[in-house]
Amino acid sequence: MSKTVGLDKKDQLSLAPDPSRWKALAFIALAQLMVVLDATIVNIALPSAQHALHISDANKQWVITAYALAFGGLLLFGGRIADLWGRKRTFVVGLLGFAAASALGGAATGEAMLLGSRALQGAFGALLAPAALSLLAVMFTDAKERAKAFGIYGAIAGGGGAVGLILGGFLTEYLNWRWTFFVNIPFAIVAALGAYLVIREPSGTRNRSPLDVPGVILSTTGLVALVYGFTRAESAGWSDALTVSMFVASAVLLAAFVTIEAKVRHPLLPLRVVTNRNRGGVYLSLGLAVIAMFGLFLFLTYYLQVVKGFSPVKTGFAFLPMIAGMITGSTQIGARLMTRVPPRLLMAPGFLTAAVGMLLLTQLDIDTSYAGVILPAQILLGLGMGTAFMPAMSLATIGVEPRDAGVASAMVNTSQQVGGAIGTALLNTIAASATTAYVTGHMALGAGNPELLKLQAMVHGFTAAIWWAVGILAVAAVIAATLINTGCPGGSSVSGLGTDEDIEDEVRIPVVAH
């Protein structure tokens, strides 16, 4: 099947590798790091920002929620814009917009200004993130080079959140909360300038079809309702009328979106992108893994600060073993083996290794040793997730038609964003319920030392939720092992520029037809 299918004559594909692709990777990686760490860096600064701007307890969650709603809701639209405008242009615009929104947040004089800046950050992040991943997909076509590039990208995608905890703790403790916003500006400017100068997007990779406006509206409102439903469930409960209404509305809107996408001539999300067995397996298993990981970040941060008395900076550095594990797993295990073994033989064992690390954390109690339990657990989690993330990121864009690279990349980010929202709400709710039950059952024993009972109940809640995270990672491993059936890349080119049919020929293994 011709690789130029569906493209304008003037956009004939150029398969020659870009001589500046490794320089481009540095700036793409920098931008990805900024987006990922921003998801956690503000969390540590939130108490200080709340006090300084007199934000009520009821509204403080919106500092996180405003970003999540805009980012999660607009990702598919952002991916389609990248396909339409060109990924380089979308990437640069997203970076500059993110920098401007960050400056607005750092200079905020009140609650409304801060919340508005967070929503803008999310909107420009939804442009930036799919463009970054799809640029890698269309620039790195050699199998070995692609493995190295996605190894670096996967390490950043997995470890950036922990880096955000370190940086957020340092900036909050030694400067002030405003620098958790201002720090994005140099990241964004350097990445935008570098991208403008060195990125040369391959020709013939745009999708110039008319924009699917009904698809944009339905997908955006459906995803916003879904993310908000999970976010609200964390504070208001799963039986809250508005929470239930959001889930119902999301189901109706997303069902209508799928129906329309199956019928329109130029869909926002061509169903061939998600109905492919291998990519569907990646999106599902990756989303489940992120559910477990986001819950871990939340619980371990509270455990170290509240139970063990760590400072914000010390807490951030306590996550370094996980970051080191992710980098090692992604660049030294995943990247080296990706061209030699099928992806499922990296992803499934990777998720299981992470599950073993999570299993160690179910043994937490008030006086648990960091070196004896938390350190080895983090190393296993990092190695496992780094090994699994790298082939997942690459496989999610292998075989898509170049005109679909943006929306395929957006689906990776969507599965992560929705997974993060679900993980924070679901696991936090489980932990809160277990904590309450523990207090109720041990009230008499804790009468002499209520503070000790409070800490014991908190840790019990954390371990109860972590058991669920272990199960979720095990399910992710099963999905990766059963749904993902493609072989290892067999030739010198594993293109994000080829179609699904091309990849079938490449790896000589059947891929589910669209």
Side-chain angles (χ1 to χ4, degrees), residues 225 228-229 232-233 235-249:
Y228 181 61
R232 183 173 175 81
S235 58
W238 297 93
S239 60
D240 174 72
L242 184 54
T243 301
V244 174
S245 298
M246 286 295 103
F247 287 135
V248 172

Side-chain angles (χ1 to χ4, degrees), residues 84-403:
L84 181 63
W85 282 1
R87 294 164 192 90
K88 175 179 176 178
R89 181 185 302 174
T90 306
F91 184 69
V92 172
V93 169
L95 281 166
L96 295 178
F98 201 95
S102 298
L104 186 66
T109 56
E111 178 181 315
M113 188 172 174
L114 182 65
L115 297 183
S117 72
R118 289 291 285 164
L120 279 175
Q121 279 186 314
F124 283 108
L127 280 180
L128 172 59
L133 182 56
S134 58
L135 275 170
L136 289 187
V138 299
M139 292 178 70
F140 287 89
T141 58
D142 177 81
K144 292 183 178 179
E145 288 191 350
R146 185 183 178 95
K148 292 177 183 177
F150 276 87
I152 295 169
Y153 187 91
I156 291 172
V163 174
L165 295 172
I166 297 174
L167 194 56
F170 181 86
L171 294 172
T172 302
E173 191 165 332
Y174 294 112
L175 295 173
N176 65 56
W177 67 269
R178 296 183 184 276
W179 282 95
T180 60
F181 287 88
F182 290 144
V183 72
N184 291 326
I185 299 173
F187 275 94
I189 291 176
V190 170
L193 183 62
Y196 180 78
L197 293 175
V198 306
I199 290 180
R200 181 179 64 83
E201 187 176 353
S203 61
T205 59
R206 291 192 190 181
N207 184 344
R208 303 182 188 276
S209 304
L211 188 63
D212 172 21
V213 176
V216 170
I217 294 171
L218 288 170
S219 66
T220 300
T221 53
L223 288 171
V224 164
L226 182 63
V227 173
Y228 181 61
F230 279 107
T231 303
R232 183 173 175 81
E234 182 182 355
S235 58
W238 297 93
S239 60
D240 174 72
L242 184 54
T243 301
V244 174
S245 298
M246 286 295 103
F247 287 135
V248 172
S250 173
V252 171
L253 290 165
L254 292 178
F257 170 68
V258 172
T259 301
I260 286 180
E261 297 307 278
K263 296 179 179 179
V264 297
R265 185 176 180 184
H266 302 293
L268 173 70
L269 175 63
L271 296 185
R272 59 180 175 269
V273 171
V274 291
T275 55
N276 175 278
R277 174 174 180 163
N278 291 287
R279 282 194 293 272
V282 166
Y283 299 145
L284 187 55
S285 62
L286 200 57
L288 287 170
V290 170
I291 289 176
M293 288 302 293
F294 264 66
L296 173 71
F297 282 142
L298 179 70
F299 299 141
L300 209 48
T301 299
Y302 271 91
Y303 176 80
L304 292 172
Q305 290 196 37
V306 177
V307 178
K308 305 297 282 187
F310 284 20
S311 69
V313 169
K314 189 176 180 181
T315 299
F317 278 104
F319 279 96
L320 276 177
M322 188 185 301
I323 299 173
M326 285 182 175
I327 292 172
T328 303
S330 187
T331 61
Q332 301 305 309
I333 301 176
R336 291 178 182 273
L337 295 179
M338 187 178 124
T339 58
R340 303 176 185 177
V341 300
R344 68 180 180 276
L345 297 186
L346 291 174
M347 291 179 64
F351 289 140
L352 287 176
T353 302
V356 172
M358 199 75 79
L359 188 63
L360 284 178
L361 292 176
T362 62
Q363 306 307 306
L364 285 178
D365 56 40
I366 290 179
D367 55 0
T368 293
S369 163
Y370 176 84
V373 175
I374 299 173
L375 176 63
Q378 286 199 59
I379 292 173
L380 287 171
L381 279 160
L383 285 172
M385 295 301 284
T387 300
F389 265 54
M390 200 288 305
M393 293 290 183
S394 178
L395 187 59
T397 52
I398 283 182
V400 294
E401 295 182 19
R403 57 182 179 172

Side-chain angles (χ1 to χ4, degrees), residues 48 55 60 76 105 129 243 257 304 311 362 367 392 419 442 448 483 500 513:
S48 300
I55 300 173
K60 69 178 181 180
L76 285 177
T243 301
F257 170 68
L304 292 172
S311 69
T362 62
D367 55 0
H442 296 78
L483 283 187
D500 289 324

Side-chain angles (χ1 to χ4, degrees), residues 404-431:
D404 296 335
V407 291
S409 302
M411 278 300 302
V412 178
N413 289 280
T414 300
S415 65
Q416 290 178 298
Q417 185 65 24
V418 173
I422 294 172
T424 303
L426 177 62
L427 297 183
N428 201 41
T429 302
I430 293 169

